[in-house]
Amino acid sequence: MKNFILLGAFLFCLGMSAQQQPTKQTAETNNPTLTNRDDQQFIMEATKGAQTEIASARIALNQTKNEDVRKFANQMITDHEKSLVTLYQMVNAQQTSDATPTSDLSRLSGAQFDQAYKEQAIKSHTETISLYENYLKNGKNDELRKWVESNLPIIRMHLKHAEQLNIHSQNER
């Protein structure tokens, strides 16, 4: 029953992202220590946020000519994929996703795209920091708390980098 609840939580998370179309996915969980509803909710929200960042960064790589934005997008993909892998390993889950974001980002180009991507990254990383800090204050699972503690500095660094993106004075390719 506990494994079924965690399986449902992952499937719900992967299917409910407002910025993603339905995805092809599988998930199996075998970690009975992560059965607390708050832990499950945190895992769902953290997963959704990371997947959205990855999908948005992939759009950025296709849409921008700004080298700062490209570097930032590549870093988002690398770091968020790494954090998802460690999270999935912790909860003994396996997941695949062919998510395609449906946000307005893909319809923009040039400086207008770069500005929208920057704003989206600032907003999502601010929300993620709040989510992680809340889990540190209220979360009960030591394993998840350690994961949050190791990832929170990276998310803060992402926010700082997003805020510092120079979208106007970059020479475009």
Side-chain angles (χ1 to χ4, degrees), residues 42-152:
F42 172 80
I43 291 167
M44 288 188 318
E45 291 179 25
T47 301
K48 181 176 91 172
Q51 289 179 332
T52 299
E53 284 300 324
I54 292 166
S56 295
R58 287 189 175 130
I59 290 174
L61 291 176
N62 290 325
Q63 297 293 105
T64 192
K65 294 179 182 175
N66 181 309
E67 195 57 34
D68 281 349
V69 173
R70 293 182 70 73
K71 287 178 185 176
F72 180 75
N74 276 315
Q75 193 65 51
M76 294 304 94
I77 292 168
T78 299
D79 291 349
H80 287 287
E81 284 180 345
K82 182 180 176 183
S83 75
L84 282 176
V85 166
T86 59
L87 180 61
Y88 293 148
Q89 288 172 343
M90 181 186 352
V91 297
N92 297 322
Q94 295 194 352
Q95 180 272 342
T96 60
S97 175
D98 296 328
T100 305
T102 59
S103 71
D104 291 332
L105 285 178
S106 61
R107 297 181 200 153
L108 302 174
S109 62
Q112 188 179 26
F113 169 83
D114 295 341
Q115 182 64 36
Y117 178 60
K118 176 180 179 174
E119 290 171 5
Q120 178 268 324
I122 291 169
K123 180 178 184 246
S124 66
H125 285 92
T126 300
E127 291 170 355
T128 300
I129 289 168
S130 176
L131 173 71
Y132 284 25
E133 288 175 342
N134 185 50
Y135 192 82
L136 285 178
K137 289 178 189 173
N138 303 310
K140 306 292 186 227
N141 184 283
D142 289 338
E143 223 178 340
L144 267 179
R145 289 175 56 81
K146 286 178 188 173
W147 182 86
V148 169
E149 288 170 346
S150 69
N151 282 280
L152 187 55

Side-chain angles (χ1 to χ4, degrees), residues 1-12 29 34-37 40 44:
M1 180 67 176
K2 291 178 184 178
N3 286 344
F4 180 75
I5 292 170
L6 283 174
L7 173 62
F10 268 91
L11 292 175
F12 175 79
T29 58
L34 296 172
T35 57
N36 177 297
R37 180 166 279 164
Q40 294 168 13
M44 288 188 318

